[in-house]
Amino acid sequence: MTRPIVIAVDGPAASGKGTLSRRLATQYGLRHLDTGLSYRAVAQALLASGQPLDDEALAVEAAGAVDFTVFDPSVLSAHAVGEAASRVSVFPPVRRILVDKQRAFAMDPPGAVLDGRDIGTVVCPDADVKLYVTASPAVRAGRRHREILRLGGQADYAAILADIERRDARDMGRADSPLRPADDAHLLDTSQMSIEAAFLAACAIIDEALAARN
Ligand code: CDP
């Protein structure tokens, strides 16, 4: 049987990696997993039951109950849940539980596109292709701001920029699985790129890697 195809897409908050990953999954006939949702699900479970975010044992219990098949993105995508997710994601046992589930998802044929912070470095170090998608903090804050307004919400650009910078510092500075490009990742800086241009650039990289694999 042919080995599953795994495409790892990492990058900071609001870098456009989610949109890009969904399009890549469709293009290559693969399944898609937004691994951020698994950390968000842990955070949401604690928030919903009024429990603290800094209690490792409670977070571990919530991680054990995470089920990818019942995610509700409309609840999990809230800005505050992302902030809470970056707090529970620092606990190593929480990460181990979720990483095991993410690996199992990736290895199910025909394979998958996974997006997150540590896919190329920890979850799938043998991925066929690794992309690291980034953009300047100002560009990312602008995108997130417009997205919230488009969905009818209220948002303050300066507050979003401050959140993004704080989240970058927490994600890049943590001891376990910090956000960083894998040594063999292809960097895609989308500060000056449309979604379409980023998609085409990613396809060119993936086509070359898959041709070499066959
Ligand atoms: O969509 P956005 O970039 O705002 O966030 P996300 O991808 O949903 O991730 C939320 C938080 O989960 C991040 O800030 C990380 O702290 C954590 N996370 C992680 O540690 N490892 C991953 N593979 C994915 C997310």
Side-chain angles (χ1 to χ4, degrees):
M1 204 178 65
T2 48
R3 190 167 52 83
I5 294 172
V6 178
I7 300 175
V9 183
D10 289 304
S15 55
K17 61 187 186 307
T19 309
L20 177 65
S21 300
R22 268 188 295 279
R23 286 196 59 181
L24 291 175
T26 304
Q27 173 77 8
Y28 292 95
L30 301 171
R31 292 162 311 117
H32 169 241
L33 181 66
D34 172 354
T35 63
L37 288 179
S38 46
Y39 294 92
R40 284 171 178 262
V42 172
Q44 172 59 23
L46 297 174
L47 291 172
S49 54
Q51 290 173 309
L53 295 165
D54 57 358
D55 184 320
E56 183 171 308
L58 289 176
V60 165
E61 203 180 312
V66 164
D67 177 355
F68 297 159
T69 63
V70 296
F71 280 162
D72 180 354
S74 66
V75 174
L76 298 180
S77 61
H79 188 64
V81 180
E83 170 67 19
S86 90
R87 292 179 59 190
V88 298
S89 70
V90 301
F91 296 128
V94 168
R95 303 199 66 85
R96 273 198 299 278
I97 292 169
L98 297 180
V99 166
D100 279 351
K101 298 184 192 211
Q102 293 160 7
R103 276 191 192 131
F105 182 96
M107 295 319 290
D108 213 2
V113 180
L114 276 75
D115 72 86
R117 302 288 189 288
D118 60 342
I119 310 303
T121 51
V122 176
V123 181
C124 300
D126 298 326
D128 295 281
V129 186
K130 299 179 185 179
L131 302 174
Y132 189 85
V133 185
T134 188
S136 70
V139 166
R140 289 187 280 130
R143 286 179 187 159
R144 183 65 36 110
H145 185 223
R146 279 192 300 279
E147 185 188 7
I148 294 173
L149 297 183
R150 186 173 53 79
L151 296 173
Q154 295 200 331
D156 172 46
Y157 172 82
I160 292 177
L161 178 59
D163 270 6
I164 281 188
E165 288 175 334
R166 189 174 54 242
R167 196 119 74 84
D168 281 359
R170 197 183 287 139
D171 288 348
M172 292 175 188
R174 70 179 173 225
D176 187 353
S177 317
L179 169 64
R180 67 169 181 85
D183 293 338
D184 51 352
H186 298 265
L187 299 189
L188 218 53
D189 185 331
T190 67
S191 300
Q192 314 281 346
M193 255 187 213
S194 65
I195 297 270
E196 189 59 27
F199 173 69
L200 293 175
C203 288
I205 294 166
I206 294 168
D207 288 343
E208 196 179 328
L210 295 185
R213 169 190 146 116
N214 291 328

